[in-house]
Amino acid sequence: MIILDYKSRTPIYKQIIEQIEKYVAVGILKPDEQIPAVRELATSLGINPNTVKKAYTELERKGVTKTLSTKGTFISNNTEKVVEQKIEEKIKKIKDLVEEIEQLGIKKEEIIKKIS
């Protein structure tokens, strides 16, 4: 389920976060679905459990997951928020790229026409 790019400059824990958020956003991971335990995921990826723990802690802080004592970690019921956040992130990236292209002397209307 999680595929790591060891050549990427993105830290491993962030790659885990991004992929789980993406799977939630596209509906692969559904609310109340259990995700692998920290040690289980760490073993399957061949990484330190602390790296997975860091990712899971951040996912819980963001409201993507919830941890139930002795039961495990589950996708939260608040998945709409995750989808909205991902959309906002992508829109910001697009806006930044449009600004860069505008600085090269191309008008916004022309950019839109070229990508439509």
Side-chain angles (χ1 to χ4, degrees):
M1 163 168 100
I2 305 279
I3 299 169
L4 300 177
D5 179 0
Y6 295 101
K7 295 179 184 175
S8 172
R9 298 184 103 168
T10 304
I12 302 276
Y13 83 95
K14 284 189 177 182
Q15 291 182 45
I16 295 169
I17 292 168
E18 289 170 1
Q19 288 185 48
I20 290 176
E21 286 178 335
K22 181 177 91 176
Y23 293 148
V24 168
V26 299
I28 294 171
L29 290 173
K30 302 190 181 331
D32 296 321
E33 186 172 338
Q34 188 170 11
I35 59 176
V38 169
R39 290 187 191 280
E40 181 184 343
L41 185 58
T43 300
S44 71
L45 296 175
I47 61 174
N48 189 310
N50 290 332
T51 303
V52 176
K53 178 66 176 153
K54 185 173 183 177
Y56 278 21
T57 299
E58 181 64 15
L59 285 164
E60 188 159 3
R61 187 193 65 74
K62 291 171 120 183
V64 177
T65 62
K66 58 186 175 188
T67 302
L68 303 175
S69 182
T70 70
K71 301 223 186 244
T73 303
F74 299 81
I75 301 301
S76 76
N77 293 320
N78 195 12
T79 56
E80 303 86 31
K81 182 179 173 186
V82 175
V83 173
E84 287 174 24
Q85 286 174 339
K86 289 308 255 181
I87 290 170
E88 287 302 315
E89 286 174 18
K90 299 297 181 190
I91 288 173
K92 184 182 179 332
K93 285 181 182 180
I94 291 169
K95 285 181 177 180
D96 291 345
L97 288 171
V98 168
E99 285 179 22
E100 283 182 41
I101 295 170
E102 284 180 312
Q103 290 174 357
L104 297 172
I106 299 174
K107 293 182 181 181
K108 192 178 292 185
E109 295 76 23
E110 191 176 338
I111 297 168
I112 292 169
K113 187 177 178 181
K114 288 184 180 221
I115 62 173
S116 296

